Amino acid sequence: MSAAMPRATATAAAPRDPLLKEITGPTPGQMLRRRIFGHQGFLIGTITLLVLLAIALVAPLIAPHDPYAQDLMSRMERPVFMGGDWDHVLGTDHLGRDYLSRLIYGARVSLLIGGVAALISGLIGTAMGVAAGYFGGRVDMVVTFLINVRLAMPVTLVALAVVAVLGGSLEVVIGVLGLLLWDRFAVVMRASTLQVRGREYVAAARAIGCSTPRILLTEILPNILNALIVVVTLEMAHAILLEAALSFLGLGVQPPTPSWGLMVSEGKNMMLFEPWLVLIPGAVLFVLVLAINLMGDGLRDVTAPENRS
């Protein structure tokens, strides 16, 4: 009898483990991993962006040639897939500069401009939008007026005018784009703050005597982070495209600095005869912007409030 009792106890206790597991469910960390690895768009965008970022960081180590070195005897060589040689895998431009090396270094310019411009505009727009949504009243009126003024100014035309006056350079382009792309941050953050400022957890924080900065940093911002992530990715891609457009028009990053928009501009005169001069940098620019948008959409889905429980 004594030998049978432990076996019976174990048999009776066995069904409780699956039931307990079903009641408790997966942990938040497990749910997050499931959402991340189950979202194909997020994985594709993130991996592609990380690869491009790694290429930009180690550009001096992997670039086969000096992107600034000119060799007029080797100008306009075609890529390997069009009959060229392996010394210049993607051919050379009109000055004999290696196209692959300039493409690798151009990733640095695009990612730097997109990231820093999105950071500057994000800080400005988020501060204005959160202040307008939380405080309301005259603060909201002033911020709304500034948003309307900014929306009345075409971004491309204003950027062209400012860069034409100040001169095209990497620093000027970053500053101009950072000071022009904050409006979407302000609009989205204002609307998101209006939605959460009346929630119970904000009222509870006020009731226990939390200061306004603490409420904004610990109660408001974490609950509007999902919308902020989406806007950051959109504006980063927008800044990269605007930089390419300015460089294409000759008012952005100036030669001989490698820039994908500048490479498209330099190859446009030979587009009918050597289309690869335009298609290669255009395709890489498309891949970068697509990767940023896929990652942003994936982050929105992964960090959505309804998926956190």
Side-chain angles (χ1 to χ4, degrees):
M1 292 294 293
S2 59
M5 288 299 292
R7 186 179 304 128
T9 304
T11 305
R16 295 180 184 177
D17 292 336
L19 181 60
L20 181 61
K21 186 176 181 181
E22 182 179 354
I23 294 174
T24 57
T27 64
Q30 292 174 337
M31 294 177 64
L32 180 61
R33 287 192 293 271
R34 288 179 186 177
R35 293 197 299 270
I36 290 176
F37 292 102
H39 200 295
Q40 294 183 355
F42 173 72
L43 292 176
I44 293 172
T46 302
I47 293 172
T48 304
L49 186 60
L50 289 176
V51 169
L52 292 174
L53 181 60
I55 290 173
L57 291 175
V58 300
L61 301 178
I62 63 175
H65 298 276
D66 184 353
Y68 302 99
Q70 301 180 13
D71 184 6
L72 297 179
M73 298 299 294
S74 302
R75 61 190 298 270
M76 298 301 295
E77 289 189 3
R78 292 189 168 188
V80 171
F81 56 83
M82 296 184 66
D85 58 68
W86 285 96
D87 188 35
H88 299 286
V89 178
L90 294 182
T92 58
D93 63 5
H94 64 292
L95 295 176
R97 296 172 296 193
D98 183 67
Y99 223 55
L100 176 59
S101 300
R102 291 186 63 80
L103 205 67
I104 292 173
Y105 274 83
R108 285 184 157 190
V109 175
S110 294
L111 289 170
L112 177 64
I113 290 178
V116 178
L119 176 63
I120 296 173
S121 58
L123 291 175
I124 297 172
T126 301
M128 295 174 63
V130 171
Y134 184 78
F135 295 106
R138 293 183 178 179
V139 176
D140 190 18
M141 291 176 60
V142 172
V143 172
T144 303
F145 173 76
L146 293 175
I147 293 173
N148 291 330
V149 171
R150 163 59 197 84
L151 292 175
M153 299 185 298
V155 177
T156 306
L157 293 180
V158 174
L160 285 173
V162 174
V163 172
V165 171
L166 299 179
S169 67
L170 188 62
E171 295 79 9
V172 171
V173 172
I174 290 175
V176 169
L177 295 181
L179 295 174
L180 284 176
L181 299 179
W182 55 265
D183 57 292
R184 189 174 298 177
F185 285 97
V187 171
V188 175
M189 292 299 99
R190 175 182 175 274
S192 300
T193 304
L194 285 172
Q195 292 178 354
V196 302
R197 72 174 184 180
R199 299 290 177 85
E200 292 80 4
Y201 49 83
V202 178
R206 290 200 197 99
I208 63 176
C210 291
S211 63
T212 299
R214 181 173 180 179
I215 294 174
L216 293 177
L217 293 175
T218 62
E219 304 296 337
I220 300 294
L221 282 178
N223 288 284
I224 62 175
L225 186 62
N226 179 258
L228 179 60
I229 290 172
V230 178
V231 181
V232 167
T233 55
L234 288 175
E235 292 307 314
M236 184 176 177
H238 191 193
I240 291 173
L241 290 176
L242 279 176
E243 179 275 324
L246 291 174
S247 298
F248 178 81
L249 296 173
L251 295 174
V253 178
Q254 297 300 303
T257 304
S259 167
W260 294 343
L262 186 60
M263 293 173 69
V264 173
S265 177
E266 292 172 344
K268 67 180 185 299
N269 294 329
M270 295 293 294
M271 185 170 60
L272 296 178
F273 307 100
E274 303 290 349
W276 55 271
L277 289 170
V278 174
L279 293 178
I280 291 177
V284 177
L285 185 63
F286 166 78
V287 169
L288 175 59
V289 174
L290 179 62
I292 293 173
N293 286 326
L294 286 175
M295 187 188 72
D297 290 342
L299 282 173
R300 177 197 60 193
D301 296 337
V302 169
T303 60
E306 59 270 16
N307 292 330
R308 295 176 188 168
S309 58

